[in-house]
């Protein structure tokens, strides 16, 4: 059930943005490889662009009962850790949103870090910011998310048949 009739919001999870950039089906064009340091880690920084025909970034614009679904062209920058191959930061900006859309620009930045959970470290999102600017107005909406307190949950179970554990 959609509690909100108008406005702007996001859904999904952060691996979908990463898959959208790195999936071969989306035909991203990578340029300007450079070696830089981010969060005290050596990385390779790449600029990328994905055209409208190959985009999987789904944006919905809802006005009352009318919804427009659109997968915009977008471009950005991705930082890849040189030692592990893990993504450390993604920046994305929409290109050429259609006329009649209530939003004329969306930009997003997500930072990843190696987060300790239990006995291991995992590359997980730690901070995200999204800005949406509205068509023909000076107004923009800004959404900031900080991820913290990751926890490991686990359970164990035993199945028995006629008193014999399997």
């Amino acid at each position: 059930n959609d509690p909100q009739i108008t406005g702007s919001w996001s859904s999904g999870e952060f691996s979908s943005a990463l898959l959208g950039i790195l999936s071969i089906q989306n035909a991203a064009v990578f340029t300007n490889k450079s070696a830089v340091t981010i969060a005290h880690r050596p990385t390779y920084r790449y600029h990328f662009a994905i055209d409208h025909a190959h985009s999987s970034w789904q944006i919905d614009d809802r006005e009352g009962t009318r919804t427009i679904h659109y997968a915009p062209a977008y471009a950005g920058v991705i930082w890849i850790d040189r030692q592990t191959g893990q993504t450390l930061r993604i920046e994305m900006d929409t290109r050429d949103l259609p006329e009649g859309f209530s939003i004329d620009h969306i930009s997003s930045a997500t930072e990843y870090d190696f987060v300790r959970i239990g006995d291991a470290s995992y590359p997980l999102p730690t901070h995200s910011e999204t800005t949406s600017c509205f068509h023909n107005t000076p107004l923009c909406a800004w959404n900031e998310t900080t991820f913290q307190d990751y926890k490991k949950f686990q359970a164990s179970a035993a199945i028995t048949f006629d008193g014999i554990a399997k």
Side-chain angles (χ1 to χ4, degrees):
N1 296 335
D2 288 333
Q4 186 171 340
I5 302 299
T6 62
S8 164
W9 63 94
S10 63
S11 64
E13 37 70 38
F14 289 94
S15 66
S16 60
L18 184 58
L19 290 171
I21 296 165
L22 300 177
S23 171
I24 197 162
Q25 291 87 353
N26 292 4
V29 175
F30 293 92
T31 59
N32 299 328
K33 175 183 174 184
S34 58
V36 297
T37 300
I38 184 171
H40 307 292
R41 297 189 65 86
T43 67
Y44 290 115
R45 180 181 64 201
Y46 298 87
H47 292 255
F48 68 88
I50 298 173
D51 64 17
H52 167 67
H54 293 94
S55 176
S56 63
W57 188 1
Q58 184 69 42
I59 297 178
D60 295 341
D61 189 22
R62 209 174 268 189
E63 187 70 36
T65 59
R66 182 180 73 116
T67 301
I68 301 170
H69 305 286
Y70 191 72
Y74 62 102
V77 183
I78 186 168
W79 287 260
I80 307 293
D81 186 287
R82 280 192 260 172
Q83 294 172 332
T84 66
Q86 298 296 326
T87 301
L88 294 181
R89 183 173 173 85
I90 299 171
E91 295 177 359
M92 307 182 336
D93 291 294
T94 58
R95 300 286 189 255
D96 304 322
L97 287 173
E99 287 295 321
F101 225 60
S102 64
I103 297 170
D104 65 7
H105 181 257
I106 299 172
S107 64
S108 174
T110 303
E111 296 173 3
Y112 298 80
D113 201 352
F114 294 91
V115 177
R116 187 149 206 74
I117 302 176
D119 296 334
S121 289
Y122 303 92
L124 295 168
T126 56
H127 186 257
S128 176
E129 295 183 15
T130 301
T131 304
S132 304
C133 295
F134 299 96
H135 191 67
N136 291 328
T137 75
L139 301 175
C140 293
W142 176 62
N143 183 23
E144 178 180 29
T145 306
T146 301
F147 302 89
Q148 58 191 26
D149 298 328
Y150 283 104
K151 303 282 189 246
K152 179 180 180 179
F153 296 94
Q154 69 184 44
S156 61
I159 299 174
T160 60
F161 298 94
D162 298 325
I164 301 171
K166 300 286 182 182

